[in-house]
Amino acid sequence: MNVSKRARIKDVAERAGVSSMTVSRVLSQDTKVSSAKKELVMEAVKALNYRPNVAARRLASNKSFFIGLLYYDSDTSYVSKFLLRGLKSCRTTGHHLVVDEIDDDIEKSLASVKDLIEVTQVDGLILLPPVCDDAKLLATLQEANMTFVRISPDTQLNISPYICMDDYQASFEMTELLINKGHTKIGHIIGNTNQGVSRLRYQGYLDALRSHQINVPPEYIEQGLFTYDSGLAAAKKMLALDIKPTAIVAANDEMAAAVLAAAHLNRIAVPEELSISGFDDGNVAITVSPNLTTVRQPIQEMAELAIDIIASGKFSDLSTANHREFRNVLDFDIIERNSTGQAPQT
């Protein structure tokens, strides 16, 4: 049987036309290497399917080449999308991703995190929402002098690097898109209160209406949990009103899909009688019919950047870090599909 030979650093260097030292520096996230050389090396790494020898790299440095990911299972599509891109990015940088769930038993979860740090000696941790705002967890990581990157945090923004998008502006623009289609009866399903993005998306919705002098009755606003079931319950309430909304902005795609199901149950045509929009642009947005108009959140780019930040070691010593570089705000896109249309004529 013909077994292909595993590529070595020397092979990558020859293909890229650089020295083996340059390849090592690129794989170690050395910021002094030019972008042109980095591109050549990474193209060679991909072409040769090169995988760094992690054991050897550990011996040659004080790194473990493990990166931890902590999450709370409230939105499986979001977590899955982030996880898959994180795994892919780790393969590129020669790291391994270790995943752990934080549940409602915070003391048990903290013990698990401490074990994770002690056993794997992770180079850093990525904290997804709402884990990113857990005060006890943050205090534990700071006491352990652990590097961590937070995704879309809402509190203590000066304690670590973080990555987010402008949730407020995205919600404002999504609501305004519906207003520009003639809608004035616009409802909103708020996301889980344990995530700061819920407040930002709610405020963006409210301010868009106010900027157009549109009043919103309280019954057009329902609390959700970022889950399908909570979205369904909220939609059923709104669609049972005597004066129904002609559009509903849901704080994520799972709840938007539930609104769509509630509309079908009530024989309300989408988008002719009811426009529906979501948030995230996950798989559900294109698996339901009609496909959802939504905000495309740069989840994959967030994952790549989080891995890069930890792999670079740039923030391993926060006492000397440039706090102005902590904030990383990525762009969003409004993706208009068939679930939204012009307001019905009355």
Side-chain angles (χ1 to χ4, degrees):
M1 182 173 66
N2 183 24
V3 179
S4 59
K5 186 179 178 181
R6 178 171 176 165
R8 301 169 298 170
I9 279 187
K10 181 181 178 182
D11 302 319
V12 175
E14 289 178 356
R15 186 179 182 96
V18 299
S19 67
S20 296
M21 181 61 71
T22 297
V23 174
S24 295
R25 288 171 64 191
V26 169
L27 295 176
S28 298
Q29 304 288 309
D30 190 329
T31 57
K32 295 179 182 178
V33 182
S34 70
S35 57
K37 286 185 177 180
K38 283 182 183 177
E39 187 175 346
L40 288 171
V41 170
M42 295 316 297
E43 285 178 356
V45 166
K46 184 176 181 180
L48 297 173
N49 194 27
Y50 172 74
R51 294 191 178 185
N53 187 321
V54 175
R57 293 174 74 193
R58 285 179 193 154
L59 291 173
S61 69
N62 61 352
K63 293 183 177 183
S64 69
F65 294 95
F66 283 113
I67 294 175
L69 174 67
L70 303 181
Y71 74 98
Y72 181 94
D73 190 14
S74 58
D75 187 340
T76 54
S77 62
Y78 178 96
V79 174
S80 297
K81 200 170 184 178
F82 195 102
L83 174 59
L84 290 174
R85 182 49 64 100
L87 288 168
K88 187 173 182 179
S89 295
C90 278
R91 284 198 296 271
T92 301
T93 61
H95 289 74
H96 291 277
L97 195 62
V98 184
V99 184
D100 202 1
E101 181 181 6
I102 302 295
D103 58 30
D104 293 325
D105 188 341
I106 187 60
E107 297 303 327
K108 181 179 178 181
S109 294
L110 287 178
S112 178
V113 171
K114 290 177 181 177
D115 287 342
L116 173 67
I117 294 172
E118 183 178 342
V119 173
T120 65
Q121 297 291 307
V122 287
D123 296 326
L125 291 166
I126 300 169
L127 280 55
L128 299 186
V131 174
C132 59
D133 286 314
D134 188 286
K136 287 186 177 181
L137 174 61
L138 296 178
T140 297
L141 297 181
Q142 288 178 297
E143 289 171 9
N145 198 29
M146 173 57 55
T147 299
F148 56 95
V149 176
R150 296 187 292 158
I151 309 299
S152 301
D154 191 44
T155 60
Q156 303 185 69
L157 301 183
N158 63 340
I159 65 171
S160 75
Y162 66 93
I163 305 166
C164 65
M165 57 163 276
D166 194 336
D167 288 272
Y168 168 88
Q169 187 62 31
S171 184
F172 187 102
E173 291 185 18
M174 178 60 80
T175 306
E176 195 163 58
L177 179 147
L178 294 167
I179 294 170
N180 291 337
K181 290 181 179 295
H183 293 276
T184 57
K185 302 172 185 175
I186 305 174
H188 180 61
I189 305 177
I190 308 171
N192 199 320
T193 55
N194 69 358
Q195 295 194 34
V197 295
S198 301
R199 175 181 55 79
L200 294 171
R201 294 172 190 179
Y202 177 39
Q203 195 62 52
Y205 154 81
L206 287 177
D207 287 352
L209 292 174
R210 288 168 181 163
S211 70
H212 290 268
Q213 292 80 49
I214 298 173
N215 294 320
V216 54
E219 57 268 26
Y220 279 12
I221 299 170
E222 291 288 344
Q223 182 64 58
L225 298 170
F226 282 138
T227 62
Y228 182 91
D229 288 344
S230 68
L232 188 61
K236 285 181 177 179
K237 288 182 181 179
M238 275 192 251
L239 298 182
L241 295 170
D242 290 335
I243 302 177
K244 300 174 178 57
T246 63
I248 295 177
V249 177
N252 78 340
D253 289 339
E254 296 287 337
M255 296 193 297
V259 177
L260 184 60
H264 289 333
L265 288 172
N266 285 274
R267 297 185 179 181
I268 296 172
V270 177
E272 292 80 7
E273 297 175 273
L274 176 68
S275 287
I276 303 168
S277 70
F279 217 104
D280 289 339
D281 197 31
N283 290 334
V284 68
I286 55 174
T287 55
V288 295
S289 180
N291 292 173
L292 292 174
T293 292
T294 186
V295 174
R296 175 172 291 162
Q297 187 170 193
I299 298 172
Q300 296 178 333
E301 291 84 351
M302 287 178 171
E304 290 176 358
L305 182 54
I307 296 295
D308 286 344
I309 288 173
I310 294 176
S312 70
K314 188 175 181 180
F315 294 98
S316 57
D317 185 358
L318 294 180
S319 63
T320 61
N322 184 347
H323 284 230
R324 286 178 297 180
E325 297 180 1
F326 277 7
R327 185 171 182 263
N328 298 275
V329 182
L330 305 187
D331 293 333
F332 63 86
D333 293 301
I334 302 290
I335 308 300
E336 191 170 358
R337 298 194 178 100
N338 296 331
S339 68
T340 52
Q342 294 296 128
Q345 298 296 317
T346 56

